[in-house]
Amino acid sequence: IDTNAYIVGENPNKDVDLQGLFPITSILNHSCTSNTICFAQDDFTFACRAVMPIKKGEEITTNYLHYHYHYFGLSYRQPELSEHWHFKCNCHRCRDFTEFGTMSDALVCTDCEEGRLTPFHLNAGAEWVCGTCYASLPADTVNKALRENWDLIEETPKFDIKALLE
């Protein structure tokens, strides 16, 4: 017997709040702008609640990421979904590089200081372009800067508003 083998459902890293088989909620598809939220209850059941009106015939979706990642930008969400859920999200929010006008994944242009760099203009895979002055940066440079900033946000205490603003 291999004593290092894990049994089904074991969580050796203790990084998941609840594990189990949930046949009803497991059929819900992901959307970064989902119309439900699923969560574990005190009695170890799993609940799914609508967070907005759902029209008859409309797909019921949930967000696979932990709720505090819902406000993070595309450059953070896409790698998380790819690494942990093994798919590339193609929801309405992920197809809109302005993040519905919030610009949560845009960078302030260092050339004009007024515009925002997004991957929307020109070739999204190769460079990010300012919508005001059309200055550009290579995607790998932008992605590195975004990762560093997401890491800083993750490391900053959630109640330290001054540090979060910096």
Side-chain angles (χ1 to χ4, degrees):
I1 296 175
D2 181 2
T3 57
N4 293 321
Y6 298 117
I7 59 170
V8 173
E10 185 175 348
N11 184 16
N13 298 330
K14 308 293 185 226
D15 58 354
V16 176
D17 294 332
L18 179 69
Q19 288 186 336
L21 298 175
F22 303 96
I24 303 298
T25 53
S26 70
I27 63 173
L28 294 176
N29 284 327
H30 167 84
S31 173
C32 292
T33 53
S34 61
N35 51 23
T36 70
I37 186 169
C38 295
F39 56 93
Q41 300 185 106
D42 290 340
D43 65 355
F44 300 105
T45 59
F46 210 55
C48 182
R49 301 273 155 95
V51 293
M52 59 191 309
I54 302 172
K55 296 177 183 160
K56 183 178 181 177
E58 183 180 353
E59 180 181 19
I60 298 173
T61 59
T62 195
N63 193 317
Y64 293 174
L65 299 173
H66 192 271
Y67 70 89
H68 74 273
Y69 294 118
H70 295 192
Y71 300 104
F72 282 32
L74 178 65
S75 67
Y76 189 92
R77 292 189 324 271
Q78 285 286 355
E80 286 290 305
L81 291 167
S82 178
E83 181 180 340
H84 299 290
W85 295 93
H86 310 289
F87 73 94
K88 181 178 181 198
C89 186
N90 196 31
C91 73
H92 294 297
R93 182 177 175 193
C94 288
R95 290 191 310 259
D96 178 2
F97 292 111
T98 71
E99 301 267 353
F100 299 139
T102 65
M103 301 302 236
S104 65
D105 221 21
L107 295 179
V108 174
C109 178
T110 55
D111 285 6
C112 72
E113 297 181 357
E114 291 181 25
R116 300 294 181 266
L117 294 162
T118 67
F120 178 76
H121 301 283
L122 301 176
N123 182 352
E127 58 189 337
W128 287 42
V129 178
C130 175
T132 302
C133 73
Y134 304 105
S136 65
L137 285 175
D140 56 344
T141 302
V142 172
N143 289 331
K144 181 177 185 260
L146 289 170
R147 277 192 308 276
E148 288 170 359
N149 283 295
W150 287 127
D151 289 344
L152 285 173
I153 290 171
E154 283 272 325
E155 295 167 4
T156 304
K158 302 301 179 223
F159 300 105
D160 189 346
I161 304 302
K162 184 178 178 184
L164 287 168
L165 287 172
E166 287 174 16

